[in-house]
Every structure is written in C-alpha cells, then in structure tokens.
Amino acid sequence: DVSKPRTSAQNHSEWDPTHFKIFVGDLGPEVSDQMLHEAFVARYASVSKSLVVRERNGKSRGYGFVAFKVGKD
C-alpha cells in the first residue's frame, strides 16, 4: 500500500552496501529525510542517501543515517 510509510528496514536495505554509513542522533521531530540530506551534502559532496528512522505511524524516532560514497568524507 503506497499510503503507508515504509519501514526503516525496507529503506535501509535499498542502500548501496559499498557506501559508508553514519548514525545521526538527537534529531528533532520536524527533521525530514531531505533536511538531513541537505545538512550533510552542503559540506560533503559524496553524500548518497539520508534516512530519518520513523515509527509505523510516521513519527520520527529521533535518529537517522547518512551514507557517503567516499569514506574520507
């Protein structure tokens, strides 16, 4: 069903396994995947994907992940 939020496990499994991932904690409830992505891509050009982990009802769990193509970033 398209109207249901996708689980973090579904989103995370689509990530490139060769990319480097970091945990980002203490996120406010208003932070979206796009906001998280923009915060990192402004400084690190190799950002490939960002995800705010959410409950099934769409509420943020307060943490997320950011993936980088280049580990040095």
Side-chain angles (χ1 to χ4, degrees):
D1 183 11
V2 177
S3 63
K4 291 183 181 177
R6 294 168 52 129
T7 65
S8 60
Q10 289 171 318
N11 286 329
H12 199 71
S13 67
E14 297 171 359
W15 293 29
D16 187 324
T18 65
H19 290 193
F20 302 86
K21 296 164 200 78
I22 63 167
F23 171 87
V24 182
D26 201 25
L27 299 176
E30 73 283 356
V31 177
S32 67
D33 292 350
Q34 175 140 358
M35 291 170 70
L36 183 60
H37 184 83
E38 289 173 0
F40 278 85
V41 79
R43 181 160 181 178
Y44 305 103
S46 78
V47 171
S48 60
K49 192 166 187 172
S50 303
L51 169 73
V52 175
V53 177
R54 300 189 176 279
E55 301 284 345
R56 289 186 185 267
N57 65 8
K59 181 181 175 186
S60 173
R61 289 190 170 181
Y63 66 93
F65 298 92
V66 178
F68 300 84
K69 294 175 190 171
V70 179
K72 291 182 181 181
D73 275 357

